[in-house]
PDB file of all heavy atoms in Angstrom:
ATOM      1  N   LEU A   1      48.543  47.343-114.278  1.00 90.00           N
ATOM      2  CA  LEU A   1      49.066  47.565-115.600  1.00 90.00           C
ATOM      3  C   LEU A   1      47.988  47.365-116.616  1.00 90.00           C
ATOM      4  O   LEU A   1      47.836  48.153-117.597  1.00 90.00           O
ATOM      5  CB  LEU A   1      50.233  46.615-115.877  1.00 90.00           C
ATOM      6  CG  LEU A   1      51.102  46.929-117.100  1.00 90.00           C
ATOM      7  CD1 LEU A   1      52.522  46.482-116.917  1.00 90.00           C
ATOM      8  CD2 LEU A   1      50.562  46.178-118.353  1.00 90.00           C
ATOM      9  N   LEU A   2      47.184  46.286-116.424  1.00 89.00           N
ATOM     10  CA  LEU A   2      46.071  46.039-117.387  1.00 89.00           C
ATOM     11  C   LEU A   2      45.042  47.173-117.358  1.00 89.00           C
ATOM     12  O   LEU A   2      44.426  47.453-118.348  1.00 89.00           O
ATOM     13  CB  LEU A   2      45.387  44.696-117.069  1.00 89.00           C
ATOM     14  CG  LEU A   2      46.198  43.452-117.401  1.00 89.00           C
ATOM     15  CD1 LEU A   2      45.496  42.218-116.927  1.00 89.00           C
ATOM     16  CD2 LEU A   2      46.500  43.317-118.896  1.00 89.00           C
ATOM     17  N   HIS A   3      44.867  47.769-116.229  1.00 89.00           N
ATOM     18  CA  HIS A   3      43.954  48.832-116.092  1.00 89.00           C
ATOM     19  C   HIS A   3      44.338  50.000-116.947  1.00 89.00           C
ATOM     20  O   HIS A   3      43.511  50.683-117.556  1.00 89.00           O
ATOM     21  CB  HIS A   3      43.864  49.303-114.623  1.00 89.00           C
ATOM     22  CG  HIS A   3      43.133  50.608-114.424  1.00 89.00           C
ATOM     23  ND1 HIS A   3      41.751  50.719-114.488  1.00 89.00           N
ATOM     24  CD2 HIS A   3      43.627  51.863-114.145  1.00 89.00           C
ATOM     25  CE1 HIS A   3      41.397  51.990-114.299  1.00 89.00           C
ATOM     26  NE2 HIS A   3      42.536  52.681-114.063  1.00 89.00           N
ATOM     27  N   HIS A   4      45.640  50.241-117.046  1.00 90.00           N
ATOM     28  CA  HIS A   4      46.136  51.395-117.820  1.00 90.00           C
ATOM     29  C   HIS A   4      46.168  51.092-119.294  1.00 90.00           C
ATOM     30  O   HIS A   4      45.917  51.997-120.154  1.00 90.00           O
ATOM     31  CB  HIS A   4      47.568  51.742-117.365  1.00 90.00           C
ATOM     32  CG  HIS A   4      47.587  52.458-116.066  1.00 90.00           C
ATOM     33  ND1 HIS A   4      47.126  53.770-115.904  1.00 90.00           N
ATOM     34  CD2 HIS A   4      47.982  52.078-114.844  1.00 90.00           C
ATOM     35  CE1 HIS A   4      47.292  54.167-114.641  1.00 90.00           C
ATOM     36  NE2 HIS A   4      47.788  53.173-113.981  1.00 90.00           N
ATOM     37  N   PHE A   5      46.460  49.801-119.735  1.00 90.00           N
ATOM     38  CA  PHE A   5      46.690  49.539-121.130  1.00 90.00           C
ATOM     39  C   PHE A   5      45.793  48.415-121.732  1.00 90.00           C
ATOM     40  O   PHE A   5      45.706  48.329-122.949  1.00 90.00           O
ATOM     41  CB  PHE A   5      48.161  49.171-121.363  1.00 90.00           C
ATOM     42  CG  PHE A   5      49.052  50.352-121.128  1.00 90.00           C
ATOM     43  CD1 PHE A   5      49.728  50.483-119.890  1.00 90.00           C
ATOM     44  CD2 PHE A   5      49.234  51.341-122.083  1.00 90.00           C
ATOM     45  CE1 PHE A   5      50.533  51.593-119.631  1.00 90.00           C
ATOM     46  CE2 PHE A   5      50.091  52.438-121.849  1.00 90.00           C
ATOM     47  CZ  PHE A   5      50.707  52.555-120.624  1.00 90.00           C
ATOM     48  N   GLY A   6      45.211  47.607-120.883  1.00 88.00           N
ATOM     49  CA  GLY A   6      44.277  46.631-121.356  1.00 88.00           C
ATOM     50  C   GLY A   6      44.879  45.332-121.863  1.00 88.00           C
ATOM     51  O   GLY A   6      44.342  44.238-121.577  1.00 88.00           O
ATOM     52  N   SER A   7      45.990  45.397-122.610  1.00 88.00           N
ATOM     53  CA  SER A   7      46.618  44.203-123.195  1.00 88.00           C
ATOM     54  C   SER A   7      48.041  44.490-123.515  1.00 88.00           C
ATOM     55  O   SER A   7      48.497  45.657-123.549  1.00 88.00           O
ATOM     56  CB  SER A   7      45.850  43.673-124.455  1.00 88.00           C
ATOM     57  OG  SER A   7      46.043  44.688-125.460  1.00 88.00           O
ATOM     58  N   ARG A   8      48.773  43.375-123.734  1.00 87.00           N
ATOM     59  CA  ARG A   8      50.215  43.563-124.148  1.00 87.00           C
ATOM     60  C   ARG A   8      50.295  44.309-125.459  1.00 87.00           C
ATOM     61  O   ARG A   8      51.164  45.138-125.642  1.00 87.00           O
ATOM     62  CB  ARG A   8      50.859  42.204-124.252  1.00 87.00           C
ATOM     63  CG  ARG A   8      52.305  42.270-124.728  1.00 87.00           C
ATOM     64  CD  ARG A   8      52.873  40.893-124.943  1.00 87.00           C
ATOM     65  NE  ARG A   8      54.238  40.963-125.509  1.00 87.00           N
ATOM     66  CZ  ARG A   8      54.536  41.201-126.788  1.00 87.00           C
ATOM     67  NH1 ARG A   8      53.513  41.349-127.630  1.00 87.00           N
ATOM     68  NH2 ARG A   8      55.783  41.336-127.197  1.00 87.00           N
ATOM     69  N   GLU A   9      49.420  43.956-126.410  1.00 85.00           N
ATOM     70  CA  GLU A   9      49.442  44.581-127.727  1.00 85.00           C
ATOM     71  C   GLU A   9      49.190  46.099-127.611  1.00 85.00           C
ATOM     72  O   GLU A   9      49.858  46.897-128.290  1.00 85.00           O
ATOM     73  CB  GLU A   9      48.385  43.960-128.653  1.00 85.00           C
ATOM     74  CG  GLU A   9      48.708  42.490-129.074  1.00 85.00           C
ATOM     75  CD  GLU A   9      48.559  41.501-127.914  1.00 85.00           C
ATOM     76  OE1 GLU A   9      47.834  41.804-126.956  1.00 85.00           O
ATOM     77  OE2 GLU A   9      49.162  40.425-128.021  1.00 85.00           O
ATOM     78  N   ALA A  10      48.291  46.456-126.751  1.00 87.00           N
ATOM     79  CA  ALA A  10      47.989  47.897-126.566  1.00 87.00           C
ATOM     80  C   ALA A  10      49.187  48.613-125.942  1.00 87.00           C
ATOM     81  O   ALA A  10      49.490  49.760-126.283  1.00 87.00           O
ATOM     82  CB  ALA A  10      46.776  48.096-125.688  1.00 87.00           C
ATOM     83  N   LEU A  11      49.894  47.971-125.002  1.00 88.00           N
ATOM     84  CA  LEU A  11      51.105  48.523-124.405  1.00 88.00           C
ATOM     85  C   LEU A  11      52.180  48.755-125.441  1.00 88.00           C
ATOM     86  O   LEU A  11      52.803  49.805-125.523  1.00 88.00           O
ATOM     87  CB  LEU A  11      51.579  47.663-123.261  1.00 88.00           C
ATOM     88  CG  LEU A  11      52.939  48.103-122.650  1.00 88.00           C
ATOM     89  CD1 LEU A  11      52.803  49.533-122.064  1.00 88.00           C
ATOM     90  CD2 LEU A  11      53.325  47.110-121.497  1.00 88.00           C
ATOM     91  N   VAL A  12      52.447  47.720-126.281  1.00 84.00           N
ATOM     92  CA  VAL A  12      53.484  47.802-127.293  1.00 84.00           C
ATOM     93  C   VAL A  12      53.146  48.950-128.237  1.00 84.00           C
ATOM     94  O   VAL A  12      54.026  49.764-128.641  1.00 84.00           O
ATOM     95  CB  VAL A  12      53.620  46.494-128.038  1.00 84.00           C
ATOM     96  CG1 VAL A  12      54.587  46.638-129.219  1.00 84.00           C
ATOM     97  CG2 VAL A  12      54.173  45.375-127.109  1.00 84.00           C
ATOM     98  N   LYS A  13      51.904  49.046-128.648  1.00 82.00           N
ATOM     99  CA  LYS A  13      51.477  50.095-129.615  1.00 82.00           C
ATOM    100  C   LYS A  13      51.702  51.489-128.972  1.00 82.00           C
ATOM    101  O   LYS A  13      52.219  52.393-129.629  1.00 82.00           O
ATOM    102  CB  LYS A  13      49.998  49.921-129.958  1.00 82.00           C
ATOM    103  CG  LYS A  13      49.490  51.022-130.971  1.00 82.00           C
ATOM    104  CD  LYS A  13      48.042  50.761-131.296  1.00 82.00           C
ATOM    105  CE  LYS A  13      47.555  51.851-132.284  1.00 82.00           C
ATOM    106  NZ  LYS A  13      46.142  51.691-132.631  1.00 82.00           N
ATOM    107  N   ALA A  14      51.372  51.606-127.712  1.00 86.00           N
ATOM    108  CA  ALA A  14      51.559  52.880-127.007  1.00 86.00           C
ATOM    109  C   ALA A  14      53.041  53.261-126.898  1.00 86.00           C
ATOM    110  O   ALA A  14      53.412  54.436-127.080  1.00 86.00           O
ATOM    111  CB  ALA A  14      50.903  52.870-125.575  1.00 86.00           C
ATOM    112  N   VAL A  15      53.896  52.272-126.670  1.00 83.00           N
ATOM    113  CA  VAL A  15      55.339  52.546-126.594  1.00 83.00           C
ATOM    114  C   VAL A  15      55.873  52.978-127.912  1.00 83.00           C
ATOM    115  O   VAL A  15      56.638  53.935-128.010  1.00 83.00           O
ATOM    116  CB  VAL A  15      56.054  51.251-126.099  1.00 83.00           C
ATOM    117  CG1 VAL A  15      57.579  51.402-126.249  1.00 83.00           C
ATOM    118  CG2 VAL A  15      55.720  50.953-124.661  1.00 83.00           C
ATOM    119  N   VAL A  16      55.462  52.315-128.986  1.00 79.00           N
ATOM    120  CA  VAL A  16      55.949  52.641-130.347  1.00 79.00           C
ATOM    121  C   VAL A  16      55.509  54.083-130.715  1.00 79.00           C
ATOM    122  O   VAL A  16      56.274  54.877-131.201  1.00 79.00           O
ATOM    123  CB  VAL A  16      55.417  51.634-131.341  1.00 79.00           C
ATOM    124  CG1 VAL A  16      55.700  52.108-132.786  1.00 79.00           C
ATOM    125  CG2 VAL A  16      56.003  50.274-131.144  1.00 79.00           C
ATOM    126  N   GLU A  17      54.225  54.401-130.424  1.00 81.00           N
ATOM    127  CA  GLU A  17      53.705  55.727-130.748  1.00 81.00           C
ATOM    128  C   GLU A  17      54.434  56.791-129.995  1.00 81.00           C
ATOM    129  O   GLU A  17      54.751  57.839-130.522  1.00 81.00           O
ATOM    130  CB  GLU A  17      52.243  55.767-130.481  1.00 81.00           C
ATOM    131  CG  GLU A  17      51.387  55.018-131.472  1.00 81.00           C
ATOM    132  CD  GLU A  17      51.539  55.576-132.933  1.00 81.00           C
ATOM    133  OE1 GLU A  17      51.478  56.801-133.104  1.00 81.00           O
ATOM    134  OE2 GLU A  17      51.751  54.731-133.830  1.00 81.00           O
ATOM    135  N   ARG A  18      54.734  56.530-128.735  1.00 82.00           N
ATOM    136  CA  ARG A  18      55.454  57.501-127.885  1.00 82.00           C
ATOM    137  C   ARG A  18      56.862  57.725-128.386  1.00 82.00           C
ATOM    138  O   ARG A  18      57.365  58.842-128.473  1.00 82.00           O
ATOM    139  CB  ARG A  18      55.463  57.098-126.471  1.00 82.00           C
ATOM    140  CG  ARG A  18      55.978  58.277-125.556  1.00 82.00           C
ATOM    141  CD  ARG A  18      55.876  57.929-124.056  1.00 82.00           C
ATOM    142  NE  ARG A  18      56.917  57.037-123.649  1.00 82.00           N
ATOM    143  CZ  ARG A  18      57.418  57.010-122.372  1.00 82.00           C
ATOM    144  NH1 ARG A  18      56.923  57.803-121.465  1.00 82.00           N
ATOM    145  NH2 ARG A  18      58.354  56.148-122.034  1.00 82.00           N
ATOM    146  N   ALA A  19      57.532  56.617-128.764  1.00 77.00           N
ATOM    147  CA  ALA A  19      58.909  56.691-129.288  1.00 77.00           C
ATOM    148  C   ALA A  19      58.942  57.507-130.579  1.00 77.00           C
ATOM    149  O   ALA A  19      59.817  58.350-130.800  1.00 77.00           O
ATOM    150  CB  ALA A  19      59.518  55.352-129.506  1.00 77.00           C
ATOM    151  N   LEU A  20      57.974  57.264-131.464  1.00 76.00           N
ATOM    152  CA  LEU A  20      57.956  58.033-132.757  1.00 76.00           C
ATOM    153  C   LEU A  20      57.629  59.531-132.472  1.00 76.00           C
ATOM    154  O   LEU A  20      58.225  60.339-133.104  1.00 76.00           O
ATOM    155  CB  LEU A  20      56.844  57.448-133.657  1.00 76.00           C
ATOM    156  CG  LEU A  20      57.135  56.049-134.287  1.00 76.00           C
ATOM    157  CD1 LEU A  20      55.869  55.496-134.956  1.00 76.00           C
ATOM    158  CD2 LEU A  20      58.279  56.174-135.257  1.00 76.00           C
ATOM    159  N   ALA A  21      56.716  59.790-131.572  1.00 79.00           N
ATOM    160  CA  ALA A  21      56.378  61.163-131.276  1.00 79.00           C
ATOM    161  C   ALA A  21      57.583  61.907-130.637  1.00 79.00           C
ATOM    162  O   ALA A  21      57.844  63.068-131.001  1.00 79.00           O
ATOM    163  CB  ALA A  21      55.185  61.237-130.320  1.00 79.00           C
ATOM    164  N   ALA A  22      58.316  61.216-129.778  1.00 78.00           N
ATOM    165  CA  ALA A  22      59.444  61.834-129.105  1.00 78.00           C
ATOM    166  C   ALA A  22      60.540  62.103-130.156  1.00 78.00           C
ATOM    167  O   ALA A  22      61.188  63.131-130.134  1.00 78.00           O
ATOM    168  CB  ALA A  22      60.012  60.940-128.034  1.00 78.00           C
ATOM    169  N   LEU A  23      60.736  61.171-131.047  1.00 75.00           N
ATOM    170  CA  LEU A  23      61.713  61.333-132.114  1.00 75.00           C
ATOM    171  C   LEU A  23      61.357  62.524-132.987  1.00 75.00           C
ATOM    172  O   LEU A  23      62.228  63.320-133.370  1.00 75.00           O
ATOM    173  CB  LEU A  23      61.858  60.053-132.927  1.00 75.00           C
ATOM    174  CG  LEU A  23      62.849  60.127-134.133  1.00 75.00           C
ATOM    175  CD1 LEU A  23      64.274  60.420-133.624  1.00 75.00           C
ATOM    176  CD2 LEU A  23      62.847  58.817-134.850  1.00 75.00           C
ATOM    177  N   GLN A  24      60.073  62.648-133.344  1.00 75.00           N
ATOM    178  CA  GLN A  24      59.636  63.789-134.160  1.00 75.00           C
ATOM    179  C   GLN A  24      59.906  65.118-133.461  1.00 75.00           C
ATOM    180  O   GLN A  24      60.414  66.093-134.056  1.00 75.00           O
ATOM    181  CB  GLN A  24      58.123  63.653-134.441  1.00 75.00           C
ATOM    182  CG  GLN A  24      57.628  64.804-135.337  1.00 75.00           C
ATOM    183  CD  GLN A  24      56.100  64.855-135.388  1.00 75.00           C
ATOM    184  OE1 GLN A  24      55.446  64.400-134.443  1.00 75.00           O
ATOM    185  NE2 GLN A  24      55.578  65.350-136.448  1.00 75.00           N
ATOM    186  N   VAL A  25      59.607  65.192-132.141  1.00 79.00           N
ATOM    187  CA  VAL A  25      59.887  66.419-131.408  1.00 79.00           C
ATOM    188  C   VAL A  25      61.373  66.733-131.438  1.00 79.00           C
ATOM    189  O   VAL A  25      61.760  67.906-131.668  1.00 79.00           O
ATOM    190  CB  VAL A  25      59.374  66.278-129.955  1.00 79.00           C
ATOM    191  CG1 VAL A  25      59.872  67.442-129.125  1.00 79.00           C
ATOM    192  CG2 VAL A  25      57.843  66.222-129.944  1.00 79.00           C
ATOM    193  N   ASP A  26      62.227  65.746-131.208  1.00 75.00           N
ATOM    194  CA  ASP A  26      63.659  65.984-131.208  1.00 75.00           C
ATOM    195  C   ASP A  26      64.170  66.471-132.604  1.00 75.00           C
ATOM    196  O   ASP A  26      64.965  67.375-132.636  1.00 75.00           O
ATOM    197  CB  ASP A  26      64.388  64.685-130.798  1.00 75.00           C
ATOM    198  CG  ASP A  26      64.246  64.276-129.372  1.00 75.00           C
ATOM    199  OD1 ASP A  26      63.867  65.232-128.602  1.00 75.00           O
ATOM    200  OD2 ASP A  26      64.476  63.141-129.005  1.00 75.00           O
ATOM    201  N   VAL A  27      63.636  65.869-133.653  1.00 74.00           N
ATOM    202  CA  VAL A  27      64.038  66.275-134.983  1.00 74.00           C
ATOM    203  C   VAL A  27      63.601  67.717-135.299  1.00 74.00           C
ATOM    204  O   VAL A  27      64.338  68.500-135.821  1.00 74.00           O
ATOM    205  CB  VAL A  27      63.488  65.298-136.025  1.00 74.00           C
ATOM    206  CG1 VAL A  27      63.733  65.804-137.451  1.00 74.00           C
ATOM    207  CG2 VAL A  27      64.147  63.930-135.929  1.00 74.00           C
ATOM    208  N   ILE A  28      62.363  68.010-134.942  1.00 75.00           N
ATOM    209  CA  ILE A  28      61.865  69.370-135.204  1.00 75.00           C
ATOM    210  C   ILE A  28      62.662  70.399-134.399  1.00 75.00           C
ATOM    211  O   ILE A  28      62.999  71.466-134.877  1.00 75.00           O
ATOM    212  CB  ILE A  28      60.334  69.460-134.835  1.00 75.00           C
ATOM    213  CG1 ILE A  28      59.531  68.691-135.882  1.00 75.00           C
ATOM    214  CG2 ILE A  28      59.918  70.910-134.830  1.00 75.00           C
ATOM    215  CD1 ILE A  28      58.066  68.655-135.628  1.00 75.00           C
ATOM    216  N   GLN A  29      62.993  70.062-133.180  1.00 75.00           N
ATOM    217  CA  GLN A  29      63.785  70.986-132.360  1.00 75.00           C
ATOM    218  C   GLN A  29      65.162  71.201-132.951  1.00 75.00           C
ATOM    219  O   GLN A  29      65.747  72.283-132.950  1.00 75.00           O
ATOM    220  CB  GLN A  29      63.892  70.453-130.950  1.00 75.00           C
ATOM    221  CG  GLN A  29      62.642  70.603-130.119  1.00 75.00           C
ATOM    222  CD  GLN A  29      62.720  70.058-128.732  1.00 75.00           C
ATOM    223  OE1 GLN A  29      63.679  69.304-128.417  1.00 75.00           O
ATOM    224  NE2 GLN A  29      61.787  70.404-127.905  1.00 75.00           N
ATOM    225  N   ALA A  30      65.710  70.076-133.533  1.00 71.00           N
ATOM    226  CA  ALA A  30      67.038  70.197-134.189  1.00 71.00           C
ATOM    227  C   ALA A  30      66.944  71.094-135.381  1.00 71.00           C
ATOM    228  O   ALA A  30      67.823  71.926-135.606  1.00 71.00           O
ATOM    229  CB  ALA A  30      67.525  68.790-134.583  1.00 71.00           C
ATOM    230  N   ILE A  31      65.923  70.965-136.173  1.00 70.00           N
ATOM    231  CA  ILE A  31      65.742  71.792-137.372  1.00 70.00           C
ATOM    232  C   ILE A  31      65.550  73.246-136.955  1.00 70.00           C
ATOM    233  O   ILE A  31      66.133  74.165-137.556  1.00 70.00           O
ATOM    234  CB  ILE A  31      64.559  71.321-138.195  1.00 70.00           C
ATOM    235  CG1 ILE A  31      64.890  69.927-138.787  1.00 70.00           C
ATOM    236  CG2 ILE A  31      64.249  72.305-139.318  1.00 70.00           C
ATOM    237  CD1 ILE A  31      63.705  69.228-139.446  1.00 70.00           C
ATOM    238  N   GLN A  32      64.707  73.476-135.987  1.00 67.00           N
ATOM    239  CA  GLN A  32      64.457  74.898-135.535  1.00 67.00           C
ATOM    240  C   GLN A  32      65.741  75.476-134.900  1.00 67.00           C
ATOM    241  O   GLN A  32      65.973  76.668-135.095  1.00 67.00           O
ATOM    242  CB  GLN A  32      63.318  74.917-134.485  1.00 67.00           C
ATOM    243  CG  GLN A  32      61.984  74.573-135.140  1.00 67.00           C
ATOM    244  CD  GLN A  32      60.849  74.490-134.109  1.00 67.00           C
ATOM    245  OE1 GLN A  32      61.078  74.171-132.942  1.00 67.00           O
ATOM    246  NE2 GLN A  32      59.639  74.777-134.578  1.00 67.00           N
ATOM    247  N   GLY A  33      66.466  74.670-134.231  1.00 65.00           N
ATOM    248  CA  GLY A  33      67.772  75.167-133.664  1.00 65.00           C
ATOM    249  C   GLY A  33      68.697  75.584-134.744  1.00 65.00           C
ATOM    250  O   GLY A  33      69.418  76.535-134.563  1.00 65.00           O
ATOM    251  N   ALA A  34      68.733  74.834-135.827  1.00 60.00           N
ATOM    252  CA  ALA A  34      69.657  75.169-136.927  1.00 60.00           C
ATOM    253  C   ALA A  34      69.152  76.442-137.654  1.00 60.00           C
ATOM    254  O   ALA A  34      69.946  77.216-138.183  1.00 60.00           O
ATOM    255  CB  ALA A  34      69.786  74.027-137.899  1.00 60.00           C
ATOM    256  N   SER A  35      67.845  76.613-137.715  1.00 54.00           N
ATOM    257  CA  SER A  35      67.290  77.721-138.519  1.00 54.00           C
ATOM    258  C   SER A  35      67.266  79.029-137.674  1.00 54.00           C
ATOM    259  O   SER A  35      67.040  80.096-138.258  1.00 54.00           O
ATOM    260  CB  SER A  35      65.894  77.396-138.953  1.00 54.00           C
ATOM    261  OG  SER A  35      65.021  77.221-137.918  1.00 54.00           O
ATOM    262  N   ASP A  36      67.513  78.910-136.373  1.00 49.00           N
ATOM    263  CA  ASP A  36      67.480  80.154-135.552  1.00 49.00           C
ATOM    264  C   ASP A  36      68.661  81.071-135.910  1.00 49.00           C
ATOM    265  O   ASP A  36      68.536  82.275-135.794  1.00 49.00           O
ATOM    266  CB  ASP A  36      67.553  79.805-134.090  1.00 49.00           C
ATOM    267  CG  ASP A  36      66.207  79.258-133.600  1.00 49.00           C
ATOM    268  OD1 ASP A  36      65.193  79.456-134.274  1.00 49.00           O
ATOM    269  OD2 ASP A  36      66.216  78.601-132.538  1.00 49.00           O
ATOM    270  N   GLY A  37      69.727  80.453-136.291  1.00 45.00           N
ATOM    271  CA  GLY A  37      70.910  81.268-136.634  1.00 45.00           C
ATOM    272  C   GLY A  37      71.400  80.966-138.044  1.00 45.00           C
ATOM    273  O   GLY A  37      70.634  80.636-138.941  1.00 45.00           O
ATOM    274  N   GLU A  38      72.701  80.962-138.183  1.00 44.00           N
ATOM    275  CA  GLU A  38      73.258  80.619-139.462  1.00 44.00           C
ATOM    276  C   GLU A  38      73.064  79.167-139.754  1.00 44.00           C
ATOM    277  O   GLU A  38      73.227  78.296-138.927  1.00 44.00           O
ATOM    278  CB  GLU A  38      74.730  80.949-139.465  1.00 44.00           C
ATOM    279  CG  GLU A  38      75.449  80.721-140.807  1.00 44.00           C
ATOM    280  CD  GLU A  38      76.891  81.079-140.752  1.00 44.00           C
ATOM    281  OE1 GLU A  38      77.292  81.759-139.823  1.00 44.00           O
ATOM    282  OE2 GLU A  38      77.653  80.687-141.702  1.00 44.00           O
ATOM    283  N   ASP A  39      72.617  78.858-140.992  1.00 55.00           N
ATOM    284  CA  ASP A  39      72.283  77.499-141.353  1.00 55.00           C
ATOM    285  C   ASP A  39      73.540  76.641-141.210  1.00 55.00           C
ATOM    286  O   ASP A  39      74.575  76.940-141.755  1.00 55.00           O
ATOM    287  CB  ASP A  39      71.820  77.465-142.826  1.00 55.00           C
ATOM    288  CG  ASP A  39      71.185  76.117-143.194  1.00 55.00           C
ATOM    289  OD1 ASP A  39      70.876  75.352-142.250  1.00 55.00           O
ATOM    290  OD2 ASP A  39      71.050  75.871-144.381  1.00 55.00           O
ATOM    291  N   ASN A  40      73.404  75.538-140.511  1.00 76.00           N
ATOM    292  CA  ASN A  40      74.564  74.664-140.237  1.00 76.00           C
ATOM    293  C   ASN A  40      74.079  73.227-140.352  1.00 76.00           C
ATOM    294  O   ASN A  40      73.632  72.596-139.368  1.00 76.00           O
ATOM    295  CB  ASN A  40      75.130  74.916-138.838  1.00 76.00           C
ATOM    296  CG  ASN A  40      76.445  74.234-138.593  1.00 76.00           C
ATOM    297  OD1 ASN A  40      76.725  73.228-139.231  1.00 76.00           O
ATOM    298  ND2 ASN A  40      77.217  74.735-137.665  1.00 76.00           N
ATOM    299  N   VAL A  41      74.181  72.686-141.547  1.00 82.00           N
ATOM    300  CA  VAL A  41      73.686  71.335-141.843  1.00 82.00           C
ATOM    301  C   VAL A  41      74.444  70.262-141.040  1.00 82.00           C
ATOM    302  O   VAL A  41      73.851  69.376-140.521  1.00 82.00           O
ATOM    303  CB  VAL A  41      73.667  71.040-143.320  1.00 82.00           C
ATOM    304  CG1 VAL A  41      73.240  69.608-143.610  1.00 82.00           C
ATOM    305  CG2 VAL A  41      72.706  71.984-144.060  1.00 82.00           C
ATOM    306  N   PRO A  42      75.817  70.344-140.974  1.00 86.00           N
ATOM    307  CA  PRO A  42      76.511  69.333-140.173  1.00 86.00           C
ATOM    308  C   PRO A  42      76.018  69.250-138.736  1.00 86.00           C
ATOM    309  O   PRO A  42      75.816  68.199-138.153  1.00 86.00           O
ATOM    310  CB  PRO A  42      77.948  69.825-140.255  1.00 86.00           C
ATOM    311  CG  PRO A  42      78.051  70.538-141.518  1.00 86.00           C
ATOM    312  CD  PRO A  42      76.771  71.268-141.651  1.00 86.00           C
ATOM    313  N   ALA A  43      75.811  70.447-138.096  1.00 83.00           N
ATOM    314  CA  ALA A  43      75.319  70.468-136.703  1.00 83.00           C
ATOM    315  C   ALA A  43      73.935  69.896-136.642  1.00 83.00           C
ATOM    316  O   ALA A  43      73.541  69.223-135.702  1.00 83.00           O
ATOM    317  CB  ALA A  43      75.388  71.899-136.153  1.00 83.00           C
ATOM    318  N   LEU A  44      73.104  70.174-137.689  1.00 82.00           N
ATOM    319  CA  LEU A  44      71.729  69.634-137.727  1.00 82.00           C
ATOM    320  C   LEU A  44      71.759  68.140-137.747  1.00 82.00           C
ATOM    321  O   LEU A  44      71.006  67.484-137.057  1.00 82.00           O
ATOM    322  CB  LEU A  44      71.018  70.189-138.937  1.00 82.00           C
ATOM    323  CG  LEU A  44      69.607  69.602-139.198  1.00 82.00           C
ATOM    324  CD1 LEU A  44      68.665  69.894-138.075  1.00 82.00           C
ATOM    325  CD2 LEU A  44      69.094  70.233-140.509  1.00 82.00           C
ATOM    326  N   LEU A  45      72.591  67.537-138.617  1.00 88.00           N
ATOM    327  CA  LEU A  45      72.690  66.075-138.705  1.00 88.00           C
ATOM    328  C   LEU A  45      73.214  65.519-137.389  1.00 88.00           C
ATOM    329  O   LEU A  45      72.752  64.395-136.990  1.00 88.00           O
ATOM    330  CB  LEU A  45      73.616  65.707-139.872  1.00 88.00           C
ATOM    331  CG  LEU A  45      73.173  66.089-141.257  1.00 88.00           C
ATOM    332  CD1 LEU A  45      74.072  65.434-142.292  1.00 88.00           C
ATOM    333  CD2 LEU A  45      71.706  65.686-141.531  1.00 88.00           C
TER     334      LEU A  45
END
């Protein structure tokens, strides 16, 4: 584990960054999904 991340702090930082990046991808996909057809804000939310 230390070989991959070096320290606990580095692991926590990597987890947070991955969670934020995954959330961004999900939000962008939601927006693009709503814009592909008729605009539907309730479905987007």
Side-chain angles (χ1 to χ4, degrees):
L1 192 150
L2 289 176
H3 168 74
H4 286 288
F5 294 98
S7 67
R8 177 185 176 280
E9 291 71 23
L11 173 59
V12 173
K13 181 179 179 181
V15 170
V16 171
E17 287 299 314
R18 190 175 76 153
L20 288 171
L23 178 59
Q24 181 192 27
V25 170
D26 288 342
V27 170
I28 289 177
Q29 288 178 344
I31 292 170
Q32 291 175 332
S35 63
D36 286 342
E38 184 177 346
D39 191 17
N40 190 335
V41 176
L44 173 61
L45 296 187

